[in-house]
Amino acid sequence: MSIADIVREATELPVSRSADECLKCNVCNTVCPVLRVTDKFPGPKYSGPQGQRFRLAHLQPIGGPGSANPPSPDASVDYCSGCGWCTTACPAGVKIAEMNNQARARLREGTRPKLRDWGLGQTDLTGTLGVAFSPIANVAMRNRPLRRAMELAIGVHHKAPVPPFAKRTFHATWKRRQAKAGTGSGKAQPGPDKAIVYFHGCSANYYEPHVAEAAVWVLRRNGFETIVPDQVCCGLPLISNGLYEDARAHACKNAKSLARYAKAGYRIIGTSTSCTHTIKAEYEEMLDMRDEDTRAISAATWDIMEFLLDLHEQGRLDTGFGRLDEDLPYHAPCQLRSHGIGLPALDLFALIPGLRARDMDHDCCGIAGTYGLKREKYDIAMAVGRPLFDKITASGATVAACDSETCRWQIEAATGVRTRHPIEILAESYRAMDRARGTAEPPGA
Amino acid sequence: MAVPHTVDVLVIGGGATGAGVLRDLARRGMTSLLVDREDFATGTSGRYHGLLHSGGRYVGKDKVAARECIEENRVLRRIAPASIEDTGGYFVATPDDPDDYVEAFADNCNQSGVDCDEVRVADLLAREPAINPGIRRAFRVPDGSIEPWGLIEAMVADARARGSDALTYHKVIGMEVAGGRIETVTVRDERTGSVSRVWPKFVVSAAGAWAGQIAALANVKVEMTPGKGTMLVYNYRVTDAVINRCHRSSDGDIMVPIHSVSILGTTDIKVPDPDDYDITRAEIRRLVDEGEKLFPSLREMRILRAYAGVRPLYQAPADTVAGAGNRSISRAHAILDHADQGVDNFVSIVGGKMTTHRLMAEQTVDAVAQKLGNTTACTTADEVLPGMEPGHHYWVGHRLADHEAEGGGDADLLCECELVTRRMAEAYLDTHWPCSIDDVRRGTRVGMGPCQGAFCTFRVAGLVAERLDAHTKATGRPAPGTEPGTPEEVGHAPGSGSLHAAIADRALTAFMRERAKGVRPIASGRQLQELMMTNLVFVDVLGVESLSTASALVFEDEEAVDAAR
Ligand SMILES: Cc1cc2nc3c(=O)[nH]c(=O)nc-3n(C[C@H](O)[C@H](O)[C@H](O)COP(=O)(O)OP(=O)(O)OC[C@H]3O[C@@H](n4cnc5c(N)ncnc54)[C@H](O)[C@@H]3O)c2cc1C
Ligand code: SF4
Ligand code: SF4
């Protein structure tokens, strides 16, 4: 059981009803990164519990009962980035970020989604196409005039950080490797104390297979084989773009494929804090899915750093870390705070000799998933992250770390500093040890 | 505003009925004056449930009342669109409701002309998930919600446009009867204490539950049986439609969504004095116990405040039944021509409902017109009220949408909960000053949200002081309501900043006292915490106890705190 599970009970209130808890104390407004930088967004208190009182009680199709009511009157709620800080900070337990998200969904209710918002939600589709045509796609995405045309056509800001597609998806590589090794068919699968189920999500699959490889390698070093079942995008990009129905379809597919492992006691480990948080909390909270399978996978899901720190606390982590003599600015992504698990990456970094990891102590880099990609929000997102970028630049470091992919891309684009997943840092440290011992082996072997 | 000496008709009472009478008289060419001892709609018309009846609640026992309701429901939707929200309503049969009533309900509706369709329980539950999933049947009727303040102001505006007038804070304190007629009526300006006399040709008492008191001034006997009803205001929309229990109307059996809140009601208790309507804990318990049968998670929902109103129930002398419960008395209205008691130019209109106020006014004015020889036909059902757009009903999101259209944000909000901007409050003060913050509340909903005035009262009070200063600066004269002789002026130099501050302080403490009164009986859970936070803001931050007007200010209610523990 993770720490978040222990307190889950206390905050179990339906999102819309949690508006009742607001005491008007303003704490949420003081932490909202978006409110800090723009007048376009009226702030969490206004668009959350206050706005809620001006919305119909329940999702309702336009037109009934009675007069034709627009579904949600406040277009400004669209400027909430969904970073979740407000919900974390509210002393009364109001689920502000979630409420805003539902209001955004209502804003779109009955209207066809913008091509862009739909497109940003279809990470599997873009990923598959992008990987298939990666040489062309990657050149295209670096092409200024093309990016400007794309901004005009679909509203994705031309400067917004878009990473290059991988040459082959992690999933395909994995399948091929398994087939070669003859695993998966004949050999008995190791039990839940010897293996974990890996949820790679979209980023590690289509853009950063090296993160997935590092995870597999570090897990194996610690005595855990990796199982990679069929899976689709966790659905978060759909949820944040207000497309709940599509997100539910994704959640169902994942629940179907992963639940039997969860029920057999396997842990589901992810390298993306946003995917893991979606499975842990949003399937139930935002998508209202409370069936047995969904609950089982929610309860079994861990962030990889959370998992490794847990191993360490049990004395089971291989602490033979090699020396890494460097400064490492670290940014804890917003999603990580919503997990309520502390900052496990920092605790693990502390085990690495020579590494000077430092928490940048900034709330949000601005990107918030797909928020900062959008034409009308790009400048806001950059302003939100500005103090973080300045701190990282001022540190003079050549590498930074962050658990969430979109944040890494945003930080890299804004600072030019290579930004890596903490698992890559751990892997590098192990390899440093191997080099020192003379036992180095190529990763992924 | 000076009180005129002569008028065709003097209307006593500025509730829905009185305002309706004033409007009807004016439209038929009878120049009239309305007086109310307080602001408009401070009697029952501002303290009722908010239901635009479809008639469904009466089909089981009073088909006349039911028919009047549905007919007037249609009229009001047409003439007062902005005051009505077309929520629709349902009668649902909970496991506690008797089969025979449920079986007969649709037929009864039919016989009274009330539109009624049975709907699938599953469909209703999908639409209104807060309802008890154990309901057996559900019927849809054209209930709605109706807001009194804008409605009454619009009726008064219509009358004023035709040469009539209305004075608030003018109390009728005496009548002089001679030769079988009311010769003069004595009126006291409740703010200055000055007394004046009016010589009306005719007097209409639309004083609701107070009609007995008014009649007594002319030595006429009108037997009122005021029935107190208590209601609970829930923080937001529990449901989007009106939800009634399908049984013979009783306590706590209806939830009305109105504006940003939902109201559960009511109780019905006979009270000797219409001004005496304290809310008891037993009533609140009863409401929640009953309400839970409709909404199982009611106890988890936040109650903002409790309030009560008094029904203007009238019992004709002949059918007085000793010991009968109050709900059995007819809600239908009566027009009493006091010629039978020797006063020829005096009628009282008693009983009735908000929903039927226009009809009541029409019938009253018919009686007056006949006496005064006026043959003009009633036109109040024909034309949309001034300031309202035909067919445009109120909807819950309108204030948020309007605010967004003006740029949104909370920088300019005086009241964050109800989205009252500085401009809205200024506009009200421009047309209503001198007035209290409670009047501003009725005009704008300031202070009616979850914080119940914690964050807006001091802002409005600041606005008051600022305006008084500005007035004196601009004109060199004391602002209206602060002239020598007014109670606030004592001990301060006219036009001085200290006088203006004292007036603002008084406005502030009076309003907070009024708000606290409604919160205290229900204060528990979050609302009690809110009250404590309010206390922190006003006592610890603002230092309200050091204000000259603070003596009677009681925020901390030990009983409520104890009860919550
Ligand atoms: C708890 C409750 C719930 C109700 N719910 C509904 C509902 O949901 N739907 C509905 O249609 N009806 C409802 N009603 C009925 C409806 O509210 C009343 O019938 C209606 O508001 C009465 O209006 P009125 O103008 O006759 O009386 P009031 O609004 O009471 O007006 C009388 C006025 O006379 C004034 N007055 C008194 N004495 C003097 C004096 N000496 N000099 C000058 N003025 C004086 C008072 O200040 C008052 O403003 C409800 C009533 C109650 C009590
Ligand atoms: S989710 Fe983030 S951006 Fe949205 S209101 Fe909360 S703190 Fe502000
Ligand atoms: S922090 Fe919570 S209680 Fe305070 S104003 Fe915001 S939503 Fe309301």
Side-chain angles (χ1 to χ4, degrees), chain A residues 16-17 20-24 42 45-46 50 53-54 56-58 60 64-66 69-70 73-76 92, chain B residues 86-87 129 235-238 240 260-261 300-302 395-397 400 403-404 416-418 450 455 526 530 533:
Chain A
S16 66
R17 185 120 49 81
D20 255 6
E21 307 295 305
C22 175
L23 292 172
K24 309 274 151 192
K45 178 167 118 174
Y46 175 102
Q50 278 169 201
R53 300 180 67 244
F54 297 89
L56 289 170
H58 309 291
Q60 238 175 28
N69 292 334
D74 50 335
S76 62
Chain B
D86 184 11
T87 58
N235 183 24
Y236 72 121
R237 293 269 167 137
V238 174
D240 289 322
S260 43
V261 297
E300 293 154 26
M301 298 178 194
R302 177 167 171 179
W395 68 286
V396 63
L400 185 52
H403 189 55
E404 288 271 314
E416 300 165 53
C417 307
E418 292 291 338
F455 294 93
R526 288 289 181 218
E530 190 79 65
M533 182 134 97

Side-chain angles (χ1 to χ4, degrees), chain A residues 60 94 351:
Chain A
Q60 238 175 28
V94 182
L351 304 174

